[in-house]
Amino acid sequence: MKNLIDKLEKNQILSKEEFVRLLAISEKDDIDYLTERAKCVRDDIYGKRVFIRGLIEISNYCKNDCYYCGIRRSNKNAQRYRLSKEQILSCCENGYELGFRTFVMQGGEDAFFKDDVVCDIVSSIKERYPDCAVTLSLGERSTESYRKMKEAGADRYLLRHETFDNIHYNKLHPVELDPENRKRCLRDLKALRYQTGTGIMVGSPYQTLENIAEDLLFIKELNPEMIGIGPFIPHKDTPFKDFESGTMEMTLRLISILRLLCPKALIPATTALGTISPQGREKGILAGANVIMPNLSPKEDRKKYMLYNDKLSDGEEAAEGLNKLKESMRKIGYEIVEDRGDCIALKDR
Ligand code: SAM
């Protein structure tokens, strides 16, 4: 197995079958070797620096009905909210004082946030905080919309492809959601020179190791600057309420594989990973991740952005808990830095 790990580290692309074998490793020695190689590669490229992003969840209204998601339109128990421009700017002000230099505006696909509304907010943030990056994560939009938001100053865009396999995609989403459109969005974002993020949920219902192997091949080809992966966690008010969560072990293994596959990528230790294990974030960093995204949303709304059961939004997951988070990173030998935290690959563009 070590030869497959070495091959990956030397940038030799593995076949789908080889990825499946690597994903199925179970010997402790092999897992330790994979984790160690990934950690070394990350340390070589990004050092002991961990980048933070202030996550602002701007709306939980969503026109989509993804079977896994707690803010899907059919969830009548979700208490809907939407932040105003003033609220979003006040989150940024708070975040800037705390040391955040990237703000991530994420939300459901909410028709209120038309292009001109988003562009106005983005340009106001950039005007007030020219040293900060703005990341958007607002779902599928037209090519023109992505172009306008880029011109308004958006630097990055997160849009997980969720799964490369169209049959699997159709098991996770209603028919009106077209997997080809999702991929079109990602190609647009790359072409418009956003720092582009994609990713999957680990252990989503019906997912096979073959699916994940294809996701890895797709990610290698797309060459995203950011890769977000976290375990699937069920939400009690969704059709997938009775499915098991993805595991921490598989999520960590994938973080390490992704670090070797795309050495320069920005890879977060996600909230979902922190939710399934109290040590999830630290383990994610030790497995090769280099980003953490604490929550900067107004406290009264955080619990309403409930994508899955028991989603964390306080303690070290909250922007106010930054000192505790800094301490927990220091304990494992890493340092949270006040920096935009751009992808190092930008220098090669
Ligand atoms: N609407 C935007 C989009 O589609 O990219 C952003 C919001 S969406 C809720 C953000 C991500 O949450 C999705 O890409 C999905 O992977 C993740 N997510 C949703 N439900 C989840 C669940 N039950 N478990 C883990 N992750 C989940």
Side-chain angles (χ1 to χ4, degrees):
M1 198 56 73
K2 287 190 178 143
N3 64 326
L4 285 188
I5 298 168
D6 292 340
K7 214 172 143 182
L8 196 57
E9 187 177 347
K10 285 184 201 135
N11 201 19
Q12 296 169 8
I13 187 71
L14 305 191
S15 67
K16 181 174 162 188
E17 291 66 33
E18 286 175 319
F19 274 126
V20 170
R21 275 174 49 214
L22 190 54
L23 288 164
I25 56 174
S26 55
E27 296 291 324
K28 185 174 178 310
D29 265 9
D30 291 332
I31 296 171
D32 289 349
Y33 185 69
L34 172 66
T35 313
E36 188 52 31
R37 291 318 312 146
K39 187 167 132 8
C40 284
V41 167
R42 194 275 322 279
D43 289 359
D44 276 353
I45 296 175
Y46 286 102
K48 296 289 186 186
R49 292 151 59 87
V50 173
F51 299 131
I52 46 168
R53 281 56 170 109
L55 180 62
I56 309 171
E57 294 161 335
I58 64 169
S59 169
N60 70 354
Y61 284 91
C62 192
K63 71 175 172 56
N64 294 333
D65 221 11
C66 309
Y67 300 143
Y68 45 84
C69 186
I71 63 168
R72 66 198 299 266
R73 68 162 187 262
S74 299
N75 181 7
K76 300 285 175 268
N77 293 330
Q79 247 188 295
R80 304 288 168 176
Y81 76 95
R82 156 185 313 132
L83 303 186
S84 64
K85 176 181 174 184
E86 290 64 38
Q87 282 177 301
I88 296 170
L89 288 172
S90 138
C91 294
C92 294
E93 187 181 343
N94 177 24
Y96 194 86
E97 274 167 27
L98 288 166
F100 288 89
R101 294 296 177 266
T102 287
F103 302 114
V104 181
M105 282 168 48
Q106 188 183 85
E109 292 195 20
D110 177 356
F112 173 85
F113 285 100
K114 295 190 186 3
D115 295 344
D116 55 344
V117 176
V118 177
C119 288
D120 175 46
I121 298 172
V122 170
S123 54
S124 299
I125 299 176
K126 295 293 286 195
E127 217 172 284
R128 288 189 192 188
Y129 308 105
D131 54 336
C132 291
V134 172
T135 305
L136 299 176
S137 180
L138 302 173
E140 296 176 24
R141 300 175 79 105
S142 68
T143 312
E144 192 49 19
S145 167
Y146 290 141
R147 192 185 57 70
K148 285 185 186 158
M149 298 188 303
K150 184 80 173 58
E151 280 170 6
D155 302 274
R156 312 187 187 125
Y157 204 100
L158 300 173
L159 183 77
R160 292 182 177 177
H161 66 285
E162 312 295 0
T163 176
F164 175 77
D165 182 82
N166 288 358
I167 297 171
H168 184 216
Y169 192 94
N170 291 333
K171 289 183 182 169
L172 302 179
H173 304 94
V175 280
E176 75 246 21
L177 287 172
D178 176 2
E180 293 307 329
N181 191 50
R182 198 126 184 125
K183 289 175 193 132
R184 186 273 303 160
C185 291
L186 285 165
R187 283 192 297 273
D188 280 355
L189 293 165
K190 281 292 284 187
L192 287 162
R193 298 175 82 80
Y194 277 93
Q195 291 180 55
T196 304
T198 195
I200 61 167
M201 289 178 290
V202 180
S204 63
Y206 312 108
Q207 184 182 58
T208 62
L209 292 186
E210 284 74 15
N211 291 148
I212 305 180
E214 286 182 356
D215 290 323
L216 291 169
L217 291 166
F218 170 71
I219 288 173
K220 183 69 186 173
E221 193 198 313
L222 181 72
N223 190 24
E225 286 76 19
M226 305 174 286
I227 309 169
I229 60 155
F232 158 77
I233 303 174
H235 184 290
K236 62 180 176 38
D237 298 316
T238 63
F240 288 165
K241 64 180 178 350
D242 294 324
F243 280 88
E244 296 275 305
S245 292
T247 65
M248 181 176 70
E249 290 69 27
M250 184 53 101
T251 309
L252 295 175
R253 196 172 308 168
L254 256 179
I255 288 177
S256 298
I257 292 175
L258 286 165
R259 174 58 64 203
L260 297 181
L261 185 70
C262 303
K264 294 180 178 172
L266 297 160
I267 303 179
T270 55
T271 305
L273 184 58
T275 300
I276 56 163
S277 160
Q279 295 293 304
R281 261 180 309 262
E282 288 85 342
K283 287 185 176 152
I285 296 295
L286 291 170
N290 62 337
V291 173
I292 298 186
M293 301 171 67
N295 200 313
L296 256 187
S297 311
K299 274 193 196 140
E300 61 275 20
D301 293 317
R302 284 183 200 166
K303 291 277 175 231
K304 299 179 199 156
Y305 199 82
M306 200 48 77
L307 304 182
Y308 43 80
N309 295 338
D310 306 318
K311 175 172 164 274
L312 288 186
S313 60
D314 49 17
E316 288 169 46
E317 205 56 48
E320 324 79 72
L322 195 58
N323 281 337
K324 268 174 85 185
L325 183 65
K326 282 183 180 165
E327 187 50 34
S328 68
M329 287 297 121
R330 227 174 273 136
K331 277 193 185 138
I332 58 166
Y334 287 84
E335 188 205 355
I336 287 189
V337 291
E338 198 174 294
D339 193 296
R340 274 170 57 113
D342 285 307
C343 176
I344 229 162
L346 286 194
K347 296 195 182 117
D348 309 335
R349 271 186 184 174

